Amino acid sequence: MRLRNITGSREAIAESLYVVSESVQTECPGKWKEIFGNDSPVYIEIGMGKGKFIHTMAKEHPDINYVGIEKYSSVLLRAVQKMSQEELPNLKFLRMDAENITGVFGAGEVDRIYLNFSDPWPKDRHAKRRLPSREFLARYDTILKKGGRLEFKTDNRALFDFALEELEPAGWKAEVVTYDLHSDEKLIQGNVMTEYEERFSAQGNPICKYIIYR
Ligand code: SAM
């Protein structure tokens, strides 16, 4: 998702108390408990877009700390505006490219990772940019604690098939796989819809989901 550039979004993000400042991101590894001021587990969403999913999750689970990661200021601004309407102490944002994720979280510091409706990057030569690619799985392997889980949802079947094929070479295993989340009575329990999920499921697209571990 790329919104048109919103004038002033970069400045608004830089000033926001909800966003961990880019100038201190390199100091964050090993410090997330300190940043939140408690020992709660840390769950992150990479490519969170306007933040509906992570905001709802943080509201429903006050004993978990959430970090939403988004590359574009103009998109992140929407999540920041939502937070100013409804502040949550257990939610922070990072404006960054997830390629650098191992420079912001320490080894094993993250308890769960969410990828929701990640950009498909359909050209083969861009496969490394796909968030469920083996290159990204190697980065997640560093920051995710032992026994931690990664959850991925998408309506893009080609991207989902690619993501499943990446598991074995990257050393991950599937705990849960569904090609139609919304028809699965058990898996749909507690499901929080993202902006894209609402849009694509309303169009009748089945939603694929996996939960993986290594
Ligand atoms: N997760 C949201 C949802 O399900 O409604 C947004 C989905 S949108 C298709 C994908 C989002 O991921 C975009 O906002 C994009 O800017 C962000 N994104 C893509 N690659 C990223 C990266 N390498 N680092 C951080 N954010 C990224």
Side-chain angles (χ1 to χ4, degrees):
M1 167 172 37
R2 184 132 197 210
L3 290 185
R4 72 194 156 77
N5 191 31
I6 298 171
T7 312
S9 59
R10 202 171 276 268
E11 293 74 13
I13 295 305
E15 284 165 17
S16 172
L17 294 175
Y18 314 129
V19 182
V20 176
S21 163
E22 285 178 50
S23 61
V24 300
Q25 282 179 6
T26 52
E27 295 164 32
C28 290
K31 299 264 177 61
W32 284 95
K33 301 224 181 293
E34 204 179 298
I35 291 167
F36 281 104
N38 60 51
D39 285 338
S40 300
V42 174
Y43 288 16
I44 69 174
E45 184 189 8
I46 303 178
M48 63 161 197
K50 298 179 193 169
K52 176 181 175 284
F53 171 84
I54 201 158
H55 194 102
T56 309
M57 292 291 281
K59 197 170 152 182
E60 288 183 1
H61 305 282
D63 296 339
I64 293 169
N65 294 322
Y66 290 88
V67 183
I69 297 164
E70 171 53 49
K71 191 150 93 175
Y72 295 110
S73 302
S74 47
V75 182
L76 176 55
L77 184 63
R78 305 297 188 202
V80 166
Q81 287 167 339
K82 195 170 167 54
M83 266 281 263
S84 50
Q85 285 158 11
E86 191 174 14
E87 284 194 18
L88 298 171
N90 59 328
L91 175 58
K92 304 259 181 234
F93 303 117
L94 287 168
R95 198 221 56 80
M96 64 175 287
D97 189 321
E99 266 186 27
N100 305 318
I101 196 102
T102 54
V104 179
F105 294 95
E109 199 172 13
V110 172
D111 295 83
R112 189 165 289 241
I113 299 174
Y114 295 102
L115 306 177
N116 291 317
F117 297 81
S118 307
D119 292 334
W121 293 105
K123 290 185 180 142
D124 284 348
R125 69 172 190 276
H126 292 148
K128 287 181 184 176
R129 298 185 192 174
R130 298 174 192 153
L131 292 179
S133 66
R134 67 190 71 183
E135 288 80 7
F136 272 97
L137 289 175
R139 296 179 180 111
Y140 307 147
D141 183 43
T142 305
I143 63 170
L144 188 65
K145 80 164 187 195
K146 200 164 172 265
R149 298 294 192 260
L150 183 153
E151 302 194 11
F152 171 50
K153 291 194 281 190
T154 183
D155 70 318
N156 186 317
R157 184 60 193 266
L159 180 65
F160 192 63
D161 289 343
F162 165 83
L164 286 171
E165 283 164 15
E166 292 293 89
L167 296 183
E168 199 188 328
W172 292 68
K173 297 182 196 76
E175 181 179 48
V176 167
V177 176
T178 177
Y179 295 92
D180 191 357
L181 172 65
H182 292 199
S183 298
D184 188 311
E185 275 177 34
K186 208 166 143 203
L187 293 178
I188 197 66
Q189 300 294 324
N191 181 57
V192 170
M193 296 240 259
T194 77
E195 277 98 354
Y196 272 61
E197 187 171 356
E198 279 182 346
R199 193 193 304 171
F200 293 128
S201 59
Q203 289 170 13
N205 298 7
I207 307 301
C208 304
K209 175 176 178 172
Y210 73 38
I211 303 176
I212 60 169
Y213 64 102
R214 78 286 190 232

